């Protein structure tokens, strides 16, 4: 497996609003084994949704949570492709997959 690397500019804030359906689907994907963590602790699988000109994505190191809540997600507020930088705001840092998520 590989690992995505990017610079992350994170601002701590409250959880994104109105993401109940995203949390629902994330928890279903966990139960199906498509989101989780290897015995080594390395997480796999993320979920995101476009929202208000950006997107909301599951947070870094949240794959091992059997039941996710809104506090396990963050809003990507911007990015700089050439600088390989992702800007996010929320209770957790964005998953590195944010660097590859479509906007």
């Amino acid at each position: 497996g590989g690992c995505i690397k990017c610079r992350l500019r994170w601002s701590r804030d409250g959880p994104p609003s109105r993401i109940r359906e995203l949390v629902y689907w994330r928890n279903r994907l966990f139960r199906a084994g498509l989101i989780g963590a290897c015995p080594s602790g390395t997480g796999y699988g993320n979920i995101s949704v476009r929202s208000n000109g950006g997107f909301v994505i599951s947070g870094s190191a949240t794959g091992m949570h059997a039941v996710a809540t809104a506090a396990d997600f963050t809003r990507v507020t911007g990015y700089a492709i050439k600088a390989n930088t992702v800007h996010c705001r929320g209770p957790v840092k964005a998953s590195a997959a944010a660097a590859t998520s479509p906007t």
Side-chain angles (χ1 to χ4, degrees):
C3 185
I4 300 167
K5 298 286 185 186
C6 68
R7 290 182 189 89
L8 190 64
R9 303 291 183 244
W10 174 49
S11 299
R12 187 178 292 277
D13 200 358
S17 61
R18 298 188 300 270
I19 62 165
R20 188 170 74 200
E21 187 173 4
L22 182 63
V23 171
Y24 168 81
W25 283 107
R26 185 273 180 202
N27 290 332
R28 288 209 45 193
L29 291 169
F30 180 90
R31 288 191 302 274
L34 300 172
I35 292 177
C38 299
S40 66
T42 302
Y44 60 88
N46 291 289
I47 188 168
S48 63
V49 65
R50 291 180 185 184
S51 174
N52 297 327
F55 61 97
V56 173
I57 190 167
S58 49
S60 180
T62 60
M64 76 283 293
H65 299 173
V67 177
T69 68
D72 292 311
F73 291 85
T74 195
R75 180 174 303 284
V76 171
T77 57
Y79 54 89
I81 294 172
K82 288 185 179 181
N84 195 31
T85 303
V86 173
H87 300 264
C88 65
R89 179 181 230 55
V92 293
K93 295 178 180 179
S95 163
T100 63
S101 294
T103 57

